[in-house]
Every structure is written in structure tokens, then in C-alpha cells.
Amino acid sequence: MRMGVDYGGTKIEGILLDADGSERARARVPTPRFDYDGGVAAIKSLMEKLESETGARVGSVGIGVPGSVDRATGYVSMGNSVWLHGRDLRGDLAQALERPVKIANDANCFALSEAVDGGGAGAQVVFGVILGTGVGGGLVVNGALVEGVNAIAGECGHIPLPAPLDDERPGPVCSCGVPGHIESWLSGPSFAADFARRAGLPVESGPKPAEILALAEEGDSVAEETLLRFEDRLGRALACIINVIDPDVIVLGGGLSNVERFYRTVPPRIEAHVFGDKFFTRLTRNVHGDSSGVRGAAWL
């Protein structure tokens, strides 16, 4: 039996999985924002609830969190849940739960989940990319998560957009404060902002991604052109990953992973920028959806 916890900015979700990956129990509670001790208590309460419901006792717990996790100390940094920064979350949870705790970035948990029994199941090298409120990624090789010596492996959102066009320089300012990063072009809010700029609308009050996608379906030319630009940028970004890592499969997650046309239109745009004359990397949608993060935490 495995337990995973997805410690998000708005909700904390826990899951119990059998050894074969089947779900035994699940529960979620609102995140006590800016309340570090409250978050630790909420995770303990979730674990006790899930164990009580199933009559099981788990030997260890995996936690997925936003931000970078120091491999030596377990401290969290560079995430939007700023109340976690500089705190010994792994140690404090291990003490509260009275069992070992493993902790990893939430995008890494997504990649691990999809590599184990999702869109990348059976592949040797799997790269997971989340296209959501931000852009994150994770790398799994032979079923093992690769975090890197600096604990930033897979952070594809924070590299410059490859081969920028004249009107893409210097680019919008990323959430990290640097202009032109991939996240500043390929996140959900960035997609919406790109449409608003081209439509002459205020970025702050323009339509949301789902509305823009609906407009494109209705034949709106500005929405369609925004999608075409997004596909081109996504192709360049993923080709850069392939040129460095050469994964068997890239699995997309996050809200924009649900755009079905991407799996038809983006691979040719990737291939145009991949080094050499071979292109076998598969681009696939995730299998577990919003559950991938918490499932990946359990697989830790």
C-alpha cells in the first residue's frame, strides 16, 4: 500500500494505492494558506482518515509540492506556496506522521505517475510537461525520477524560448522575473495574454483559454492565429528538450494538454527543429489527468 499527497496552493489531496496502482481511497481538504503548521496538521489528518477508511497502515508517504526541493535538506524553494520556504517540511512531516517521508516537485510527480502506468508506461525515457497556470516538467529514466544535482531537472519552463522570432524578443516577463522564458509563452495565462494583445484587449480582462479555444472552433481568425503561434512555439520548445534528452515519449499535462489538435499539429513542428534525420519521439496526452500529481507522489 502506498500513500501520496499533493500539497497544492488551494487544496491538499491524499490517495492510497495498492501495489498494482489501483486506488483504495482518496480525500482532499482546503490548503491552510500561509499556515505552515496548519498544513502539516492537515496532511496528518488526511493520512489518518485514509488509513481508517481502509484499515491499512502505510510504511512511508510521498509528498508532491510546488517549487524546487533540496535533495539534501528537503527544504522547498522557488514555489508559489511561499509559507513552505525555508522550513524543514520533510522532517516535520516525518515527525508528525511517525514514518519516513519522500518529497518531490509536483511536476516531477506528474512525470513519474505517467511513466509508471500512464501515457509513458513501458518507455525507457519519459519527459512530462505541464501546460497549466505555469509550465513545468519532469524526467523519468527506467522508472526512476531524475532530479539532478541542483534539483531542477525538467524545469523546461525557465529556459528561453528557442529560435525566437523578431516579435518574440525580448518576450513577456516570466513568473520568475526574466523575459522570454518558455513559461511566458506556453502557460495558460500566457496563451490568453497572447490572444488579448493581438485582439487589442486588456490582458488583465481578456478571455480565458477555454473561451479562446471555443472562439477558434467557431472560426474566429485571431483565436486561430493564436493557436497556430502556440503550436509553433510548443514545437520549438519540445524540440529543444528532444535535442538534449532524446526521450521515447513526451507526455503533456495541465489544462492545455486537453486540446486534441495538438497531438496532430505539433509533432511536425517539433520534427522541423530536431537535429538529424530521425524523429521517433511520441507526443501523447496524459492518462491520469488531475490525479497524476497525487498518484506520482504515492509512487515516490
Side-chain angles (χ1 to χ4, degrees):
M1 186 75 68
R2 300 170 180 269
M3 179 175 177
V5 175
D6 183 11
Y7 193 154
T10 58
K11 56 89 177 171
I12 300 174
E13 183 171 19
I15 194 170
L16 283 187
L17 299 181
D18 277 332
D20 64 358
S22 57
E23 181 180 325
R24 288 285 303 277
R26 179 195 298 256
R28 64 169 58 182
V29 295
T31 299
R33 292 179 59 79
F34 302 100
D35 182 357
Y36 176 81
D37 293 333
V40 171
I43 292 172
K44 180 178 181 180
S45 177
L46 269 181
M47 185 193 71
E48 292 172 345
K49 173 180 172 63
L50 294 173
E51 289 188 327
S52 175
E53 287 180 3
T54 59
R57 177 176 171 83
V58 295
S60 62
V61 178
I63 312 286
V65 297
S68 176
V69 180
D70 187 288
R71 296 175 65 188
T73 67
Y75 283 24
V76 180
S77 62
M78 296 186 288
N80 53 17
S81 298
V82 294
W83 59 92
L84 300 180
H85 294 178
R87 304 296 296 267
D88 184 11
L89 182 63
R90 184 174 63 193
D92 292 337
L93 283 172
Q95 182 176 12
L97 305 182
E98 299 179 329
R99 65 203 73 191
V101 170
K102 296 183 179 181
I103 186 169
N105 167 267
D106 50 8
N108 286 348
C109 290
F110 163 79
L112 183 59
S113 171
E114 293 297 325
V116 171
D117 60 358
Q124 182 182 26
V125 182
V126 178
F127 196 86
V129 180
I130 295 178
L131 304 173
T133 304
V135 175
L139 175 63
V140 178
V141 178
N142 292 327
L145 184 62
V146 178
E147 296 179 290
V149 68
N150 299 304
I152 57 171
E155 284 289 358
C156 56
H158 297 288
I159 59 177
L161 181 70
L165 304 177
D166 287 343
D167 63 354
E168 293 173 335
R169 291 190 292 262
V173 176
C174 182
S175 63
C176 68
V178 177
H181 278 181
I182 285 173
E183 182 174 293
S184 71
W185 291 113
L186 296 182
S187 69
S190 299
F191 171 71
D194 188 50
F195 172 86
R197 287 191 294 266
R198 293 300 179 108
L201 300 172
V203 170
E204 298 77 12
S205 57
K208 304 298 183 186
E211 298 171 285
I212 298 167
L213 294 170
L215 286 171
E217 287 284 334
E218 295 166 4
D220 182 274
S221 61
V222 178
E224 176 61 24
E225 290 165 5
T226 302
L227 267 173
L228 290 172
R229 289 192 300 275
F230 187 93
E231 290 165 346
D232 178 63
R233 290 162 181 157
L234 183 58
R236 281 180 270 156
L238 297 183
C240 181
I241 291 168
I242 292 171
N243 287 340
V244 175
I245 299 171
D246 202 11
D248 299 81
V249 58
I250 294 175
V251 184
L252 297 185
L256 288 172
S257 71
N258 297 321
V259 182
E260 292 292 344
R261 63 183 265 177
F262 288 168
Y263 303 97
R264 172 176 49 85
T265 60
V266 174
R269 289 166 169 81
I270 299 173
E271 185 174 11
H273 297 277
V274 169
F275 177 72
D277 58 357
K278 296 181 175 63
F279 175 60
F280 300 126
T281 300
R282 291 186 293 118
L283 179 68
T284 185
R285 184 175 174 175
N286 64 85
V287 169
H288 296 299
D290 291 343
S291 295
S292 255
V294 71
R295 290 178 63 88
W299 288 122
L300 288 175

